[in-house]
Every structure is written in structure tokens, then in C-alpha cells.
Amino acid sequence: MTYQHFAKYFENINNPLEFIDNFWGIKPTEKDIDNVKIFLEVINQYGQKLDTLKISKLVNKSKRTIDKWIYKINLPIIIRLLEKYIELNKPKKGKWLSLNSTRGGLFTGPWIYVPEKINNYQDIYEVINQLKSLPESYEKLKQFDIDVNFLKENRHLFFAYLLGIMIGDASKYGFQRKQRMMRRIQLKLTQKHKSNERLGNFVGLCINVLGLKYYKCKDTPPSKKNKYNFYSWNSQSSLLFQWIFRTCLGLNDNEKTSYDPIKANWILDSPKEFKIWFLQGIADSDGYVDINTFQVGIVSKPNIDFIQKILNTLNIKSSKTFLHKGTLFCLRFNLKTANELPIFNNYVKLYRYNLMKRLIDAKKYSHHWPEWLGEEVDNYIKNNFSSTKIMRIILDKYDIAIRAGGIGKRIKKYKIWQRKKLSV
């Protein structure tokens, strides 16, 4: 646009700033609005051949700023948005959103249109179809043995998994910049389980599939509650993450996924695979495998009811209960059902997924144990090993899954034998 175009636009429209409403998440400040008035005055004076030093004194702006405006090195944000609006025109639906921007407020695109409210899964699908995967996402596929064609045909599934991670382990760090609220994804996972590095890298793949950057950071030192270092990652900041947080998950900026339930009923009517990958993102974050009961669970206090509704749409029976003596509210379901879904992502292959598979594939005894196995378990009992520890040892050594009930019976017999021995 020429300077004359700027001036004519603002002269001929009753509400010249109305076009800004076509951009998602951008709210100019009073200073930004004042700068437009000053900018138009600068254009007018420059058109009358007034030099920039005199213009600077006239409008009370530095000569350096005036020079940048005159030579289009740096324009006021509202003027830059106007240029982009004239280039893009009105969005087909919703509002325009720039995936990338600079700290100074320069929106660098690519631009996509997003709805202000999610009415159904189709709204999400249209957004995903506008996104272009970064080249590094194709390189990361090799780590997880994922075919390129699978990625191209199922980019919506990677979005679903990221949604699940966002209500689980991931931190959704939000921070205010001049004209908008920005957000980025941060992830810290304990090095106690080496497979957590695969999880962090898979989250990076999901983010790259959406066209955004993701970086491995320096390992974080242990905390007071955890003696292991942490793997750490950071994504770039983007309005897209803010849109996902506000619009897709239905959360306000002052809400936290640890305490506040998401509002995303549109997921209930999404395709089956989308729901499964969403659940996998949650389970890989906050799931567990109970070797004692041969059950799988998800710990997610604010979203238990919503997760159960999704499981119901998949015809999976689940029950609400408490974990660790009533301190954590969770949802439990059958190990076999969890494996058939599967509830843990089969590309990530997290330690929970591997344990689930081992329990499913392990040899089991429906009646009496072999004599050698009973003797070995008795020896562990005599050394005061817990039932859980005994089951884990037998599974690791022999790929045999024994039940806590069987161990419990032998513990009772051992205690009776001890009492009789003491009474003699």
C-alpha cells in the first residue's frame, strides 16, 4: 500500500479499526491506536515536503521512529495489520491467526483461519488441514517407525495426542505481550524411566506436524521429591497454542488443567481414532498399570467424568476409585480392554505400554503353581518382600504373571507356620 492508500482508508470508513476484529487474539493498546493518528499526520506532513526532523518535533516522536515509518522499515502494528488484511481479505470462517510472530509484534505467518468456538469435529479438521508440517517432522518419523503416508493421512491424530498431553504432563506456559496473550508448551519428564525421552520426542513430533518448532533443552536437576534428573523440552511461543488452550479445551487464561476441567464436548462426537489418540495422550501422561489387580488407570481429578464419557462412547466400561489410600481420584478399567484399545500409544512405547504388553503376553497359571515357583516365592516372602515386588521379580525373570491373591495365600500360610514355631 502507498501512503495515500493508508490515508484514504481511514478517511472513507466510519469505523476504521473494525477490520482488527478479523484477527484472532489481537487487541491493540491505546498507544497503538494513538500511533495510527500520529502516523497519518506524519504521512500528511511528509506529503507536503516537510523534512523528518521538523515532522518529529511537530508530532513529538523521535526522528528515528519517523524515518522507520517513512521508509516502511517498521510500521505501527495497526498499519501492518491493515496491510495484511487487505492482502488476505475476510477469512472464510472465524478469524485470521498467525502461527509465528516476533517479540516486537510483527506477525510473520503462515496465516490460517480459526473458529471462535468449536461446534463440532469438522471445525477442528478444517484448521488442521491448513497447517503444514515442518521438514523435521519427517525426520522424526524414523525414530518411531511411522510411515510418511500415515502422517500425511492422519495429521489430526497427532493433534489429538497433543491435546491429551496438554491436559496431562505438559505445562501450557502463558505470558502477556503488548497486543496478545502468547503460550508455549513446556515438558519435563523424570529420567527414572528412559522411555520418557521417547515421549518427549513424540510430543515434539506432534508439535512439528502442526508447523511449530520444538527444542530439547538442557536436563533439569532433581527436585526435592525426585532424585532423578529431568528431560526438558520447550516449544516456540505461538497464538496457535493459545487458541488451542482457549477454544479447543475451553479454558480461561487464569485456569489450570491440574484443577479446572476442560470444556471440550466436541471430542465426544469426533472419530473413534481421534478419541483413542486423545486418551493415549492423557494416559501416557497420567496413566498407570496396576500389576496387583491387572487393571489400568488414569489419574486426572478434574476430568474424570469427561474421560469416562469418552470411554463410554467407545463401549469401554470403567469405574471411579481412589488411588494411594484416597489421595488421588482415578478411573480404572480392565487390562485386556486397555491393551485392545490400546490406552497407551503403540508408537511411543512408554514404560507403561511395555508393562501392559508384558502382563498380557506373560505365561499364567490358572490353578496350582509349579513346585519350583512356589518355593521361590516362599523364599521372597521369608525375606519380607512385598507382593508387588515379588510379582515384578517373577515377571522380569521368567515372563510369568502371578496374582497377588496367590502370594497372599502363601503369606498367610507362612505367618501361621511362624506362629506355630514360636509357640513350641
Side-chain angles (χ1 to χ4, degrees):
M1 288 182 71
T2 64
Y3 300 127
Q4 289 73 23
H5 281 126
F6 288 131
K8 287 182 179 179
Y9 177 86
F10 286 100
E11 284 176 4
N12 298 330
I13 296 180
N14 292 330
N15 187 359
L17 299 183
E18 188 177 12
F19 76 92
I20 297 173
D21 194 46
N22 289 282
F23 296 94
W24 191 91
I26 301 175
K27 188 176 181 180
T29 64
E30 288 298 323
K31 184 178 179 180
D32 294 327
I33 295 171
D34 289 340
N35 275 340
V36 172
K37 299 173 183 176
I38 298 171
F39 176 78
L40 294 174
E41 180 62 23
V42 168
I43 290 174
N44 179 50
Q45 297 297 335
Y46 188 71
Q48 297 179 32
K49 308 301 182 181
L50 207 63
D51 66 69
T52 55
L53 183 59
K54 290 182 179 179
I55 295 175
S56 171
K57 293 177 181 178
L58 182 67
V59 298
N60 197 26
K61 278 281 183 184
S62 71
K63 182 179 181 301
R64 185 181 179 187
T65 298
I66 301 300
D67 286 335
K68 287 182 177 180
W69 286 358
I70 292 295
Y71 297 106
K72 293 188 178 181
I73 297 171
N74 188 14
L75 294 171
I77 183 171
I78 292 177
I79 301 300
R80 288 201 302 269
L81 287 173
L82 177 58
E83 282 188 308
K84 184 54 64 175
Y85 175 70
I86 291 172
E87 176 190 333
L88 295 171
N89 295 316
K90 280 185 174 290
K92 294 179 181 178
K93 294 180 180 179
K95 298 188 176 186
W96 289 115
L97 181 148
S98 174
L99 265 64
N100 299 296
S101 61
T102 65
R103 288 188 177 185
L106 180 63
F107 297 98
T108 55
W111 291 86
I112 61 171
Y113 57 87
V114 296
E116 293 185 84
K117 180 184 177 182
I118 305 300
N119 295 307
N120 50 52
Y121 169 75
Q122 186 61 30
D123 290 339
I124 294 289
Y125 192 73
E126 288 183 13
V127 172
I128 296 170
N129 272 351
Q130 297 174 71
L131 302 172
K132 292 185 179 180
S133 303
L134 297 183
E136 49 260 50
S137 60
Y138 295 101
E139 185 63 30
K140 287 179 181 176
L141 291 178
K142 298 174 185 177
Q143 181 183 349
F144 303 98
D145 296 322
I146 300 175
D147 185 78
V148 173
N149 290 327
F150 178 86
L151 171 62
K152 291 179 178 178
E153 295 170 6
N154 297 283
R155 289 162 66 239
H156 60 294
L157 299 183
F158 295 89
F159 181 86
Y161 189 86
L162 182 62
L163 283 182
I165 287 289
M166 285 180 70
I167 71 169
D169 279 334
S171 169
K172 289 70 60 181
Y173 178 67
F175 51 98
Q176 188 68 49
R177 286 199 175 146
K178 285 184 180 179
Q179 302 87 9
R180 73 262 189 226
M181 183 74 173
M182 299 293 284
R183 202 168 291 274
R184 65 169 172 256
I185 304 298
Q186 296 177 315
L187 195 60
K188 290 185 180 180
L189 301 170
T190 176
Q191 293 185 7
K192 178 181 179 181
H193 303 287
K194 297 303 178 184
S195 61
N196 275 340
E197 188 169 18
R198 282 180 63 86
L199 173 57
N201 290 336
F202 192 79
V203 172
L205 170 60
C206 295
I207 290 173
N208 293 159
V209 165
L210 302 184
L212 297 172
K213 296 282 188 179
Y214 183 77
Y215 310 95
K216 181 78 167 64
C217 306
K218 186 177 179 181
D219 292 344
T220 306
S223 64
K224 291 181 180 179
K225 296 181 180 180
N226 194 317
K227 64 180 181 179
Y228 298 93
N229 286 342
F230 291 87
Y231 299 114
S232 299
W233 296 266
N234 259 343
S235 78
Q236 70 173 88
S237 59
S238 176
L239 273 175
L240 182 64
F241 290 133
Q242 172 69 351
W243 176 78
I244 292 173
F245 187 84
R246 292 293 305 270
T247 308
C248 299
L249 298 180
L251 294 167
N252 295 322
D253 289 332
N254 62 344
E255 291 184 310
K256 297 183 181 297
T257 52
S258 301
Y259 309 105
D260 302 295
I262 65 169
K263 294 171 278 293
N265 284 337
W266 59 269
I267 295 176
L268 297 173
D269 297 318
S270 63
K272 178 181 178 180
E273 285 299 311
F274 189 94
K275 285 185 278 194
I276 292 173
W277 276 58
F278 173 70
L279 292 172
Q280 287 175 346
I282 300 172
D284 280 350
S285 290
D286 295 325
Y288 67 91
V289 177
D290 191 339
I291 194 172
N292 291 283
T293 62
F294 279 55
Q295 289 186 313
V296 170
I298 294 175
V299 181
S300 181
K301 182 179 179 181
N303 296 299
I304 286 295
D305 290 335
F306 182 64
I307 294 169
Q308 190 170 49
K309 285 180 181 178
I310 296 176
L311 290 170
N312 289 342
T313 67
L314 298 170
N315 296 317
I316 294 176
K317 293 181 180 180
S318 59
S319 59
K320 299 174 189 176
T321 185
F322 287 95
L323 186 67
H324 300 321
K325 298 180 181 179
T327 57
L328 293 171
F329 198 39
C330 65
L331 205 60
R332 282 190 173 189
F333 37 97
N334 181 273
L335 181 69
K336 182 181 177 182
T337 302
N339 179 65
E340 290 172 351
L341 196 59
I343 194 61
F344 304 113
N345 189 275
N346 53 306
Y347 291 111
V348 178
K349 291 182 171 60
L350 200 61
Y351 63 94
R352 299 185 186 106
Y353 172 88
N354 295 331
L355 178 57
M356 178 181 72
K357 282 293 182 184
R358 290 194 66 187
L359 287 172
I360 288 292
D361 297 336
K363 182 177 177 61
K364 301 171 184 69
Y365 293 102
S366 56
H367 299 292
H368 297 294
W369 298 346
E371 185 177 344
W372 67 267
L373 179 58
E375 290 175 354
E376 184 162 346
V377 169
D378 288 342
N379 186 54
Y380 293 133
I381 292 171
K382 290 174 184 177
N383 285 282
N384 294 317
F385 284 26
S386 68
S387 296
T388 303
K389 188 172 182 180
I390 294 171
M391 285 187 286
R392 192 62 198 245
I393 291 172
I394 298 302
L395 180 66
D396 290 341
K397 284 180 71 174
Y398 307 111
D399 281 326
I400 295 174
I402 58 176
R403 295 277 187 172
I407 299 174
K409 290 177 182 178
R410 302 187 83 89
I411 290 174
K412 286 181 181 179
K413 287 181 181 180
Y414 177 69
K415 287 180 177 178
I416 292 171
W417 175 83
Q418 276 189 317
R419 283 196 295 269
K420 285 181 179 179
K421 186 178 178 181
L422 289 171
S423 64
V424 173

